[in-house]
Amino acid sequence: MPASASGRDLLTQVLLGLRLDGVEYGRCVMRAPWSIAFPASREAHFHFVAQGGCWLKLADADWVRLNAGDAVLLPRGSFHVIASDPDVPAIDIDALARVPVSDDIYLVRTDAQAGEDDGERSVMFCGSMRFNLDPLHPLLAMMPDMMRAGELAQKDPTVPAMLEAMEREVSLDRIGACGIMARLADVLAASIIRAWVECGCSDSSGWIAAVHCPSIGRVIAAIHAEPERDWTVPELAGLMGASRSRFAEAFTRTLGETPARYVARIKMFQARRWIAQEGMRVAVAANRLGYDSEASFSRAFKRIIGQSPGALRSAHLHARPRAAFQAHAPR
C-alpha cells in the first residue's frame, strides 16, 4: 500500500473484510395489541418498520419509538422486546405461528391468530444476521447495542435511498418482494455500520483512531487482511516505515496493547470463527495459524478466549442451530 494512503483508505480496507450474512428473515404482520420478545443470540438482529409503528426496548434501556420507515440494527443480538404498546405483556417470538415463504424467509403474524381487524396493523421485516467477525473483535466491541438508520441517514446518502427502496417493495407487494427485501436488509445493515464508523464514532483514541492514522492504520489493515500470516514485529515496523522500538511504542500507545498481543488476539478470533462456525478440527486451525503444536495453540487460545478450543468444537458439534424465525413443526 502506498505510504501516502489516507486514513479513510485504510479504514475502507478494514471494512472490506467485514461481511454480514443473512441467516433468516421474517415478514411480521401484527394487529394491536401485541408484544414480542427476541431472546439474546449470537446473530445480529435487524428490524425495518414497513407499516404502522411500534416500541422497542433493550434490557437495560428505556422504550424507543419506531415509526414507519425506521430501521434498527442490534449488532450483538441483545435481548429486546418490540411492542405495539409498552404495557402489553410480551410473548417469545418462537411462540408465534410462522409459514415458510421461501428459503430462509418466513411469514410471522398475530392478527390471524387473534381473528380481529379493529386493532392497528403493523408490518415489519425482521432478520437475523451473522458477522464474519468474532464478537470480541475491536470493531464489534465498540459498537452500541442498537444503531438507528434514521440517526445516520443525514451522514450517508445511501441509507435513506435504501430505506425508500424497502418501503416501495412493501407498498407494491410484487412477486419476490420478500427475497429482494432480504438482500436490501443485508446491504442496509452494512451501510449502517459504515456510516457509524465513518461519522458516528469520532473517538480521538482507541481502535477507530488507530485505523484512521495512516502509519498505524496501515499495519492494522495488513493484520486483518492476513490473520493467518506469522507476523513479526520487524515486518510490522517495516509496514509503518519505522524502527522496531518506535513502532512498538507508537502501536502500544495508540491501541493500548503490544503488537504481539494484538496479532495473537486477531489470530484467536479467526480460530474461534473457524471452530465455532465451521467445526474445524483444532489441529487444522493450529497448523493454519502457524503453531508448532496443537498443545501450544490450545494454551494460547484458552488464555485469550477463556475457553479451550476442544470444548468449543464439541459445543459446536452438539449444538442445535437456533434462529429467530426457524420454522417449527405444526402444533
Side-chain angles (χ1 to χ4, degrees):
M1 182 184 303
S4 61
S6 67
R8 181 183 180 88
D9 295 332
L10 298 168
L11 182 57
T12 299
Q13 289 219 3
V14 173
L15 290 178
L16 283 174
L18 174 64
R19 292 190 303 277
L20 273 168
D21 300 318
V23 177
E24 290 193 331
Y25 301 92
R27 186 175 187 269
C28 303
V29 182
M30 288 82 65
R31 188 76 65 176
W34 57 270
S35 182
I36 303 173
F38 290 78
S41 68
R42 297 178 182 177
E43 289 79 28
H45 287 296
F46 175 85
H47 300 292
F48 171 72
V49 184
Q51 180 181 327
C54 63
W55 294 85
L56 184 149
K57 187 183 187 309
L58 297 172
D60 299 320
D62 295 330
W63 287 95
V64 175
R65 177 66 181 178
L66 300 178
N67 298 309
D70 282 342
V72 295
L73 175 69
L74 287 74
R76 282 186 286 276
S78 306
F79 169 85
H80 60 288
V81 176
I82 300 180
S84 59
D85 186 274
D87 294 330
V88 180
I91 61 174
D92 193 278
I93 180 65
D94 287 336
L96 296 178
R98 64 212 69 196
V99 178
V101 175
S102 61
D103 290 345
D104 302 328
I105 301 177
Y106 301 90
L107 173 63
V108 181
R109 59 192 310 138
T110 61
D111 57 351
Q113 289 178 316
E116 300 178 356
D117 295 325
D118 53 345
E120 180 185 0
R121 185 172 183 262
S122 297
V123 179
M124 300 184 64
F125 192 82
C126 308
S128 58
M129 303 170 176
R130 182 177 295 122
F131 281 95
N132 69 324
L133 299 178
D134 185 273
L136 297 180
H137 185 283
L139 182 60
L140 271 180
M142 290 180 66
M143 291 180 185
D145 288 331
M146 182 177 72
M147 298 176 178
R148 299 188 65 176
E151 296 174 350
L152 301 169
Q154 295 180 345
K155 302 172 183 178
D156 186 341
T158 63
V159 172
M162 278 182 284
L163 289 172
E164 292 172 7
M166 294 182 78
E167 286 187 278
R168 284 197 301 271
E169 284 297 325
V170 172
S171 63
L172 294 175
D173 198 20
R174 298 171 61 187
I175 296 175
C178 279
I180 293 175
M181 288 282 287
R183 303 291 78 76
L184 285 172
D186 291 346
V187 177
L188 178 58
S191 297
I192 291 173
I193 294 170
R194 181 180 65 181
W196 172 80
V197 170
E198 292 181 337
C199 311
C201 53
S202 55
D203 283 348
S204 59
S205 61
W207 191 83
I208 295 293
V211 174
H212 275 294
C213 172
S215 56
I216 299 295
R218 185 179 303 114
V219 175
I220 294 174
I223 294 171
H224 285 268
E226 299 182 79
E228 302 170 38
R229 182 167 170 174
D230 185 19
W231 290 105
T232 64
V233 172
E235 285 179 314
L236 297 175
L239 290 175
M240 180 176 167
S243 66
R244 290 179 56 180
S245 59
R246 180 169 170 266
F247 160 70
E249 189 277 330
F251 190 98
T252 304
R253 182 181 67 250
T254 306
L255 273 297
E257 62 183 325
T258 65
R261 173 72 177 177
Y262 187 84
V263 169
R265 279 207 304 134
I266 299 306
K267 282 180 176 290
M268 293 305 112
F269 292 165
Q270 177 67 62
R272 178 157 68 175
R273 188 167 70 88
W274 284 337
I275 296 169
Q277 295 185 14
E278 303 174 18
M280 181 180 288
R281 291 171 51 214
V282 176
V284 174
N287 181 69
R288 187 173 291 186
L289 291 175
Y291 279 81
D292 295 333
S293 68
E294 182 177 335
S296 61
F297 165 77
S298 296
R299 286 194 296 271
F301 187 96
K302 186 171 184 179
R303 183 178 68 251
I304 294 173
I305 302 300
Q307 180 183 20
S308 72
L312 183 65
R313 184 170 188 269
S314 178
H316 166 81
L317 295 177
H318 292 90
R320 295 181 62 185
R322 183 188 186 284
F325 302 102
Q326 186 175 6
H328 288 216
R331 299 178 187 275

